[in-house]
Amino acid sequence: MKRKTLGITTALVAGAALAATGTLGANAAPRPTAPTQQEALHAAAEQAGTISSALGLSGGERLVPRDVVRDADGTHHLRFDRTLNGLKVIGGDLVVTQKSGQVTGVTKASEASLAGLGTAAPTTNAAGTLVVFALDHAPVLAWETVTHSVKDDQTPSELHTFTDATTGATLLTYDDVHHVEGTGQSTYTGTVGLNTTQSVSTFQLKDPARGNQAVNNLNNGSGTGTLFTDADNKWGNGTYTDKATAGVDAAFGAAKTWDYYKNIHGRSGIKNNGQGALSKVHYGNNYSNAFWSDSCFCMTYGDGAQNRNPLTSIDVAAHEMSHGVTSATAGLVYSGESGGLNEATSDIFGSTTEFYAANTTDAGDYLIGEKINIRGDGKPLRYMDKPSKDGKSLDYWSSTAGNVDVHYSSGIANHFFYLLSEGSGQKTINGVTYDSPTTDGQPVTGIGRDKAEKIWYRALTTKFTSSTKYAAARTGTLAATADLYGASSPEYAAVNRAWAAVNVK
């Protein structure tokens, strides 16, 4: 990840267009209400050409807005994807920071110039879709193919493969269906209140207060399923014998995830557009997993061993839906170190959502999947205080971290987040005992989860790009901390120390 500060004055950019996104031009009147995300994206699109010129992009390059983050002080963080002569540029995304009519900073996934890179027809054929590949690689034309299949364990697969259009060499492969790894059983969140929708004399498991996010029943099949309905608005019986029970947990998990992002981070839904995501339960047969898919903007839960224990705990729900938040913001590629950061982001926000939910049956902790017993041994799926306790995850960074499965290289960032929140050493939180080590044996003093989660979210949404690795994540979280608390603050020093404690320097 590359960051730089520019002294470019963008008067045309910062005038009428930015007035529409909340930053006032010289002659603009204050708006009575904050703009919607759709309005902010529209304004960013109007500025794209001027920003392209200011950044010195070549004539065939175009910026396509993906996300806008607006700070209280009028600073805007405009996230763009890039195209070249109409071709998508993989690794071409960037974040432009604007304040008071100036571009004050740019974070790019790649600094490589695309000038002189020719494109040729056709742009699609049997090999896939022609793109420009610039992710940790000198820009080349490449074919992107997406292979849809179902794995042996019933998990759907959307495998992206990028192949050099000239040499035929494979440049990158990753699966765009993000899921929990392992097998086992699950439990529930108890009796909870739900927002539902009444349609004549029938109630639907659809939440009108949260973007109409709904829960469908796959009835141990696949596809879209059917919306849960009920005559008396009393759902499930607390056991697997009533299929609506899993629907209750899925609806509750989706609601708490929505509320967490809305009330803690000011984000309205996964895409920040007020749209609720679809949840689907009872997928497959004895399927001990859960997964998020961007293509359907939905998350899916299996029923676990013997179809008796759906994987619908709060942290699993928030983990999977947070993959959608990452996709809508940083777009961390699901491979290598960026893939580990992608998984860690979901673990981090899965944990913080669980704390936020304050459910007495499933209290907040720094254990991932502790309720679902996915391996059948009563142990959590992952541990944030000492990731290696699962037998595979990494406690500390090394030069081989990018070669490890993303579910295990995520341990580095999970460990960082725990240390930043709670500090090193032994302690007990909500009845769970932790004992977090450091790579250098030196202690870390935590700053509290409330500050740590805000730092990670700001870094994800304003600093990280698709190619961010651990060293750049350190840079990004330090920059985010400086934004929130100042570069001379105790919080800044704590972030620096926590990264050093997991060997990221």
Side-chain angles (χ1 to χ4, degrees), residues 107-161:
T107 302
K108 294 182 178 181
S110 171
E111 288 285 355
S113 172
L114 304 183
L117 185 65
T119 59
T123 57
T124 60
N125 66 12
T129 301
L130 193 65
V131 299
V132 175
F133 189 88
L135 189 71
D136 298 325
H137 193 284
V140 295
L141 295 179
W143 294 106
E144 178 184 13
T145 59
V146 182
T147 304
H148 296 268
S149 63
V150 178
K151 298 177 183 178
D152 290 343
D153 70 351
Q154 304 178 69
T155 303
S157 174
E158 297 175 12
L159 188 67
H160 292 247
T161 302

Side-chain angles (χ1 to χ4, degrees), residues 290-327:
F291 55 89
W292 169 267
S293 174
D294 283 329
S295 61
C296 66
F297 195 62
C298 68
M299 85 151 293
T300 305
Y301 302 90
D303 276 344
Q306 301 178 351
N307 289 329
R308 294 186 176 187
N309 297 282
L311 279 78
T312 48
S313 65
I314 300 169
D315 57 351
V316 171
H319 171 106
E320 298 301 345
M321 286 183 276
S322 292
H323 279 305
V325 174
T326 296
S327 176

Side-chain angles (χ1 to χ4, degrees), residues 217-383:
N217 180 13
L218 294 177
N219 202 28
N220 298 112
S222 58
T224 302
T226 57
L227 179 65
F228 275 101
T229 59
D230 189 87
D232 62 3
N233 211 20
K234 296 179 181 178
W235 306 83
N237 64 6
T239 74
Y240 74 91
T241 61
D242 187 336
K243 287 190 177 295
T245 298
V248 169
D249 280 339
F252 181 72
K256 290 304 177 183
T257 301
W258 177 288
D259 291 351
Y260 169 76
Y261 278 108
K262 179 69 172 179
N263 296 329
I264 302 302
H265 302 299
R267 187 175 191 85
S268 181
I270 288 171
K271 289 186 177 179
N272 201 23
N273 62 358
Q275 177 185 345
L278 174 66
S279 296
K280 300 186 289 185
V281 298
H282 304 303
Y283 169 80
N285 186 39
N286 300 322
Y287 182 67
S288 296
N289 224 319
F291 55 89
W292 169 267
S293 174
D294 283 329
S295 61
C296 66
F297 195 62
C298 68
M299 85 151 293
T300 305
Y301 302 90
D303 276 344
Q306 301 178 351
N307 289 329
R308 294 186 176 187
N309 297 282
L311 279 78
T312 48
S313 65
I314 300 169
D315 57 351
V316 171
H319 171 106
E320 298 301 345
M321 286 183 276
S322 292
H323 279 305
V325 174
T326 296
S327 176
T329 57
L332 290 159
V333 171
Y334 205 62
S335 176
E337 290 191 22
S338 61
L341 287 164
N342 190 317
E343 269 296 310
T345 295
S346 284
D347 281 352
I348 287 166
F349 291 134
S351 175
T352 57
T353 300
E354 188 180 79
F355 275 106
Y356 172 85
N359 180 263
T360 56
T361 304
D362 189 3
D365 52 51
Y366 293 97
L367 309 174
I368 305 302
E370 76 284 352
K371 288 290 185 180
I372 61 176
N373 190 22
I374 199 168
R375 296 193 180 100
D377 57 6
K379 297 179 180 180
L381 181 61
R382 287 187 285 277
Y383 304 79

Side-chain angles (χ1 to χ4, degrees), residues 197-204 229-233:
T197 298
Q198 186 172 5
S199 177
V200 192
S201 60
T202 300
F203 294 91
Q204 301 171 335
T229 59
D230 189 87
D232 62 3
N233 211 20

